[in-house]
Amino acid sequence: MAEAAFHPPRRKRRVFETYEAPFPVDIGGKDFRICQAEIMNNNVIVRNPEDIEQLYNKGYFGKGILSRSRPVYSISDPSLVAKWQGANVNMPIITSRKYQRRVQWAKSILEAQGFDDSSVTKILENYTKPLELPVLEESGAEPLGNSCNTENTELPRQSSTAAGNVVAQSSENENEGCKKACLEGDAASDLVAPCEELEQGDTKEKAEVSCQTCGSVGCCGCKAEGSAEQQPCETVKTKERAPEYVLVQEEEEGSLCPEDDSTHTQGNLVKKEKLVCRRNPFRIFEYLQLSLEEAFFLVYALGCLSIYYDEEPLTVLKLWEVFSEVKPNFKTTYMAYHYFRSRGWVPKVGLKYGTDLLLYRKGPPFYHASPVCFAFQLLCPC
């Protein structure tokens, strides 16, 4: 019978990040942070972006539900970002085809909620109409225009020119605070709002009503009174209900024009493109998914995580009962996870490789998985 050969961890050739800390806790105790998670469909999900960054950067706990490991999903198209790098805008840039796909998804959701075709069309037209945004012609330039023209908000560009050759169009000045109201949007037309809000009329009056607590325009979702534990959850829900603004690359009407002012050659025709600011009707959020062993370790061993179910925090004993019911061999796998974590390894779920745990030194960005771990429970014959 061949003996098992254990090799030292093999370091990755290309490492693009630095090692911060083995655990998401402060040794001095000054900046100790208790993150929040919730149980959804027998999974432990972290939704707060600050908690996601804290848990993953310090210890590499969990994985992004839309990414391979680090939660870095973005709706923006990297090729379009490089193409429009001359336009200094801090917003996602997507293609018109990708945007129309999300409009169709939002349409199917509204139809499933019982809205008729005319109401669905009216809601989507009002929600996806062009919006005004501050336009910067070059890096470090001042915003052009001070208006709120929701019909002709665009950054024109000719596809044959260089990436930095961006011409911004500005319209006449109308109202000073109109730009903020346009970017806030109508709370009643928000597609992530409940159906009762969508059925109510007079959306313009709702957009103009300001909150007495925070002074923001539209439905901010804040509450004047609330406990300190509920405020992070309310903040996350408010951010998820807030509209997401994207820049859609569209073709201008009659955009075919000769290149280099050659009006006689038809083969040199190019298309003019522009960026239009619109609201995203179908948002996709990336959460941090923790394994049951990772979640219990953060709660029991480190005390830096609080897990909720139906908006109620669960105790350590209750979590042990719930996780043991969801995963029959949870007791065995957690003992193995706790042992290797305390030894400095970073255990990860090894289901894809037919094992219980994969062990990483320092973390997945630095080393390849070394040995695989099978967890067995030894039963006493007596």
Side-chain angles (χ1 to χ4, degrees):
M1 185 174 180
E3 296 182 358
F6 296 95
H7 301 282
R10 186 163 56 94
R11 185 176 178 83
K12 292 185 176 180
R13 295 182 178 179
R14 298 180 180 180
V15 180
F16 301 98
E17 57 185 276
T18 58
Y19 185 75
E20 294 190 17
F23 299 116
V25 292
D26 186 21
I27 299 178
K30 298 181 180 180
D31 299 329
F32 185 79
R33 176 186 181 90
I34 298 180
C35 304
Q36 292 190 3
E38 57 182 302
I39 298 179
M40 298 175 59
N41 299 328
N42 297 332
N43 296 313
V44 181
I45 301 298
V46 181
R47 302 166 60 183
N48 192 344
E50 297 179 358
D51 294 344
I52 293 175
E53 183 179 0
Q54 175 83 359
L55 294 177
Y56 193 86
N57 291 346
K58 299 181 179 181
Y60 300 97
F61 290 89
K63 69 173 294 293
I65 60 175
L66 300 176
S67 305
R68 296 184 61 183
S69 55
R70 178 179 292 275
V72 292
Y73 170 79
S74 176
I75 189 179
S76 186
D77 191 341
S79 61
L80 294 183
V81 174
K83 179 180 178 180
W84 291 89
Q85 60 183 354
N88 188 14
V89 288
N90 189 17
M91 298 175 65
I93 304 177
I94 62 176
T95 60
S96 178
R97 181 180 179 182
K98 192 174 184 179
Y99 185 80
Q100 292 301 324
R101 190 184 304 126
R102 279 157 173 74
V103 174
Q104 292 298 325
W105 292 344
K107 180 179 179 181
S108 61
I109 291 178
L110 293 176
E111 291 177 348
Q113 294 177 354
F115 290 92
D116 54 1
D117 294 339
S118 60
S119 300
V120 171
T121 304
K122 184 177 180 181
I123 292 174
L124 291 178
E125 288 180 354
N126 185 31
Y127 193 83
T128 60
K129 61 185 179 181
L131 299 173
E132 175 69 13
L133 79 161
V135 180
L136 300 181
E137 184 176 3
E138 295 292 344
S139 301
E142 296 293 333
L144 298 179
N146 196 20
S147 64
C148 186
N149 186 1
T150 60
E151 298 297 333
N152 296 320
T153 301
E154 56 192 40
L155 295 177
R157 183 184 191 277
Q158 190 170 345
S159 59
S160 61
T161 58
N165 187 12
V166 179
V167 182
Q169 293 183 352
S170 60
S171 56
E172 298 179 356
N173 299 332
E174 293 180 359
N175 296 322
E176 295 180 356
C178 190
K179 185 181 301 180
K180 178 181 179 182
C182 290
L183 289 180
E184 288 291 339
D186 297 338
S189 63
D190 195 347
L191 298 186
V192 296
C195 300
E196 291 79 3
E197 296 183 2
L198 291 174
E199 294 177 355
Q200 297 177 359
D202 201 5
T203 59
K204 294 183 179 180
E205 295 182 358
K206 291 184 179 182
E208 296 175 356
V209 176
S210 61
C211 177
Q212 300 296 331
T213 304
C214 62
S216 62
V217 180
C219 181
C220 63
C222 65
K223 294 183 179 181
E225 298 179 357
S227 60
E229 296 181 356
Q230 295 179 352
Q231 288 181 357
C233 294
E234 294 295 333
T235 304
V236 174
K237 293 180 180 179
T238 302
K239 291 180 180 179
E240 292 182 355
R241 289 196 298 262
E244 180 186 23
Y245 303 98
V246 296
L247 295 176
V248 185
Q249 178 179 273
E250 301 177 357
E251 296 182 2
E252 295 184 0
E253 297 181 358
S255 58
L256 291 179
C257 62
E259 186 179 9
D260 298 331
D261 297 334
S262 58
T263 58
H264 302 286
T265 306
Q266 296 181 356
N268 294 330
L269 295 181
V270 294
K271 295 180 180 180
K272 280 187 177 181
E273 296 171 341
K274 61 182 179 180
L275 292 180
V276 182
C277 179
R278 299 179 187 270
R279 283 191 289 256
N280 183 14
F282 192 91
R283 299 188 63 182
I284 300 178
F285 299 95
E286 180 169 32
Y287 303 139
L288 184 71
Q289 181 179 359
L290 300 174
S291 65
L292 300 183
E293 293 80 10
E294 290 175 329
F296 195 83
F297 183 83
L298 292 171
V299 175
Y300 170 71
L302 300 181
C304 62
L305 182 67
S306 180
I307 300 178
Y308 288 75
Y309 181 73
D310 288 340
E311 299 182 356
E312 292 293 334
L314 301 180
T315 61
V316 176
L317 295 178
K318 187 62 178 179
L319 283 175
W320 184 265
E321 295 176 0
V322 172
F323 291 170
S324 300
E325 183 179 355
V326 172
K327 190 175 182 179
N329 62 336
F330 170 74
K331 299 177 182 179
T332 306
T333 56
Y334 177 74
M335 286 189 291
Y337 181 91
H338 191 109
Y339 173 79
F340 286 109
R341 263 290 184 181
S342 62
R343 294 280 179 164
W345 294 91
V346 179
K348 288 293 183 179
V349 177
L351 183 62
K352 186 171 67 172
Y353 300 97
T355 182
D356 294 320
L357 296 174
L358 293 175
L359 302 181
Y360 293 89
R361 181 182 176 183
K362 295 179 65 175
F366 305 99
Y367 287 86
H368 295 278
S370 298
V372 294
C373 174
F374 294 93
F376 297 99
Q377 183 177 7
L378 299 179
L379 300 177
C380 181
C382 58

